[in-house]
Amino acid sequence: MEIRKYESEFPPIDYFITRFLVGDKRLFEQETKVSLPTLVPGDVIDIFGETYIIESREFGFNEDAFFTVYYMRKR
């Protein structure tokens, strides 16, 4: 049996970026080495003493990072 070394076509992701937006305003952004728990539309979270409802989310990639963008509204 022949064992070959696997060469990935893409480099590994170095970090994860999570952005929270209310309308066009970026409320908060966090960069981490591990992904944060996933929120789904309808989830309620507290940020800086305010309560928000997740309306939608989007995902994206670049060469070194994975992005999760959450769109929220105040509760």
Side-chain angles (χ1 to χ4, degrees), residues 58-74:
E58 295 180 2
F59 302 101
F61 297 92
N62 74 9
E63 294 84 21
D64 337 289
F66 179 82
F67 294 87
T68 306
V69 179
Y70 292 101
Y71 295 95
M72 309 177 304
R73 67 177 163 82
K74 275 192 178 181

Side-chain angles (χ1 to χ4, degrees), residues 6-51:
Y6 174 75
E7 295 290 335
S8 176
E9 187 175 347
F10 302 100
I13 291 174
D14 293 328
Y15 54 93
F16 298 84
I17 298 174
T18 306
R19 291 181 179 150
F20 297 93
L21 293 104
V22 177
D24 293 336
K25 180 181 174 188
R26 186 181 312 173
L27 184 68
F28 180 71
E29 179 174 308
Q30 184 166 356
E31 180 181 312
T32 59
K33 285 286 193 181
V34 296
S35 60
L36 298 175
T38 301
L39 301 168
V40 297
D43 281 353
V44 177
I45 62 170
D46 291 326
I47 300 176
F48 306 130
E50 298 284 340
T51 303

